[in-house]
Amino acid sequence: MKQNKLRCFVAIGSVAALLWGCSGADDASDVPADVLASVGQSRLTLSELRGAMPGGLSADDSVKFATAYINSWVDSRLVSRIAAEEVDMSEIDEMVDRYRRELVLRKYTLLRAEAMPVPDFPADTIKAYFDANPKEFVLSRPMVKGIYLKVPDDAKNLAEIRRLCRSTRADDVDRLEKASLQAAVHYDYFRDRWIDWVQIESRIPMPMGDSPDDFIRANKYIDFSSGGFTYILSISDCLPTGAAMPLDAATPAIEERLRFEHRRRFEASILSSLREEALVDGRLKLY
């Protein structure tokens, strides 16, 4: 397998080298066999192309990748040579150096931040953030509470399951759970928590139109058969699109934002301590 892949790469490189060789080298006798192209003193080798090529490509895709890679390599170096005569390269060098320093700084602070323990935020901190930013936590689609079941049409206790689904009595909920364990392919009780409507919508094989809010308003109770199964959905409560997001639903996003802010403060403290140390030992002087 490896030999076949190597032969494929060698063949591609040889074809590419032949194509490029036809375009201008007066005397290529002193050029190593694995060189595919050269611009000035820069050379593109077969090993470089082989290292850049993704695995699993077909022969045709390998040829396309090799051609594109060689063209990109040649174009970038030709432009660089021409630009060097017309562009202020000292400005380019400064931009590259500044970007490199920024990358090093970012990488260093990230490494230090990743090593720090991930904080756990207490419930009152999450609630305070939630209350302080109400406009950031608005539903983009409905959320519902209720019961969902998928039951075979021939289930012996289907009639009982239907009756129990409509009941709100605590003991009937227990009976429904026991009955569902015996017959239901899927049973989800969520009268005590909010569920994103998308999670429910994807389970019910029926057309629902373009407006989830309109569908929910018109279908608080669904009971229909399709493909040998009965689908039952009983919606006990609904939050429409545009309503305030429940705190439980917003908590994961809030925790992520708090972690991000914590990491930024940690990174800022790292840089501050580095400056203070450099001032003390004389490496940094501010005038």
Side-chain angles (χ1 to χ4, degrees):
M1 187 68 176
K2 290 182 179 179
Q3 291 179 347
N4 291 338
K5 185 176 181 181
L6 179 59
R7 283 197 293 270
C8 178
F9 286 172
V10 171
I12 295 170
S14 299
V15 171
L18 177 61
L19 291 174
W20 284 105
C22 292
S23 63
D26 296 330
D27 183 9
S29 59
D30 60 341
V31 178
D34 68 336
V35 173
L36 304 179
S38 65
V39 176
Q41 299 301 313
S42 299
R43 292 181 174 182
L44 172 63
T45 64
L46 178 60
S47 60
E48 181 181 339
L49 173 61
R50 185 185 301 135
M53 185 174 293
L57 296 181
S58 66
D60 289 342
D61 288 340
S62 297
V63 171
K64 291 177 181 178
F65 178 88
T67 302
Y69 189 91
I70 293 170
N71 285 337
S72 176
W73 186 94
V74 170
D75 292 345
S76 65
R77 280 153 182 80
L78 286 176
V79 170
S80 296
R81 287 175 61 87
I82 295 173
E85 301 172 0
E86 303 178 15
V87 176
D88 182 359
M89 296 306 294
S90 63
E91 181 181 356
I92 298 295
D93 291 340
E94 173 58 27
M95 292 172 62
V96 170
D97 187 50
R98 182 168 62 250
Y99 182 57
R100 181 180 182 279
R101 290 194 300 269
E102 291 173 355
L103 285 177
V104 171
L105 173 63
R106 184 60 181 161
K107 183 64 174 178
Y108 175 76
T109 55
L110 280 176
L111 287 174
R112 292 287 302 273
E114 289 172 357
M116 73 177 182
V118 178
D120 292 324
F121 300 103
D124 57 347
T125 300
I126 294 174
K127 179 67 163 57
Y129 189 97
F130 179 78
D131 292 339
N133 301 276
K135 294 182 179 180
E136 296 183 20
F137 302 104
V138 176
L139 292 178
S140 59
R141 51 182 177 259
M143 299 191 79
V144 295
K145 289 183 177 181
I147 300 173
Y148 164 78
L149 292 106
K150 178 181 178 182
V151 187
D153 288 340
D154 57 359
K156 295 180 180 180
N157 60 348
L158 182 55
E160 180 188 12
I161 288 175
R162 284 189 168 114
R163 180 184 65 81
L164 295 172
C165 275
R166 292 181 176 274
S167 174
T168 57
R169 295 172 52 186
D171 53 351
D172 282 343
V173 172
D174 293 336
R175 293 190 184 97
L176 176 60
E177 184 173 356
K178 293 177 181 178
S180 300
L181 289 174
Q182 298 174 9
V185 174
H186 194 163
Y187 168 68
D188 191 359
Y189 179 88
F190 51 97
R191 282 179 178 170
D192 56 351
R193 69 187 192 280
W194 291 105
I195 294 290
D196 191 323
W197 173 247
V198 172
Q199 298 182 37
I200 303 301
E201 182 182 37
S202 62
R203 303 175 187 174
I204 303 177
M206 67 181 296
M208 297 185 181
D210 298 328
S211 173
D213 294 289
D214 291 343
F215 179 85
I216 294 170
R217 277 192 293 268
N219 297 275
K220 292 296 178 64
Y221 187 85
I222 297 173
D223 184 340
F224 80 104
S225 177
S226 175
F229 293 96
T230 294
Y231 297 84
I232 301 173
L233 174 64
S234 175
I235 298 175
S236 58
D237 202 356
C238 172
L239 287 174
T241 302
M245 187 179 297
L247 177 58
D248 288 347
T251 294
I254 294 174
E255 289 178 333
E256 181 60 30
R257 295 183 188 189
L258 291 175
R259 281 192 291 267
F260 178 75
E261 292 178 2
H262 179 79
R263 185 165 60 247
R264 287 189 62 182
R265 289 194 297 269
F266 182 78
E267 292 175 0
S269 69
I270 292 174
L271 299 180
S272 178
S273 64
L274 288 176
R275 286 193 296 268
E276 290 177 3
E277 292 174 4
L279 283 169
V280 170
D281 63 24
R283 285 178 293 124
L284 170 63
K285 293 181 175 62
L286 298 178
Y287 303 98

